[in-house]
Amino acid sequence: LDKALRRGMKVVVVVNKIDRPAARPDYVVDKVFDLMMELGASDEQIDFTTVFASGLQGISGMNPDELTEDMKPLFDAIVSAIDPPKVE
């Protein structure tokens, strides 16, 4: 993560295992935010996209209380948030 941030790359955070009863999505996102600050992320990088998911169940969503029955929100987040590679 440190190397990616230093190279100016954008970040998509995936909070996995959201289906578990002990899941604490707000706590996890707060900790990721704190880590990004510690690593010196830019303002653009700190405004990261967050996707909540359960890989085992194959569900995901942009809100932990509104998950779809597939991983489409995760794939859509990657496509929209991450710049395509530059090819010469």
Side-chain angles (χ1 to χ4, degrees):
L1 179 61
D2 184 43
K3 289 180 183 179
L5 293 175
R6 282 188 274 146
R7 294 189 69 190
M9 300 177 89
K10 296 179 185 174
V11 176
V12 174
V13 174
V14 179
V15 180
N16 194 23
K17 301 182 182 186
I18 197 69
D19 57 321
R20 298 217 174 155
R24 301 181 295 169
D26 293 333
Y27 175 80
V28 172
V29 172
D30 288 345
K31 286 299 185 182
V32 171
F33 181 84
D34 292 345
L35 176 61
M36 299 276 280
M37 292 292 292
E38 282 180 35
L39 295 175
S42 69
D43 289 343
E44 183 179 286
Q45 291 169 318
I46 287 178
D47 189 24
F48 53 84
T49 301
T50 304
V51 181
F52 302 91
S54 169
L56 185 63
Q57 291 188 10
I59 57 177
S60 65
M62 303 309 286
N63 183 319
D65 299 321
E66 298 174 17
L67 303 174
T68 64
E69 295 299 318
D70 57 27
M71 299 303 270
K72 188 173 183 325
L74 173 59
F75 298 130
D76 289 344
I78 293 169
V79 169
S80 68
I82 304 299
D83 296 329
K86 295 176 183 167
V87 179
E88 295 178 18

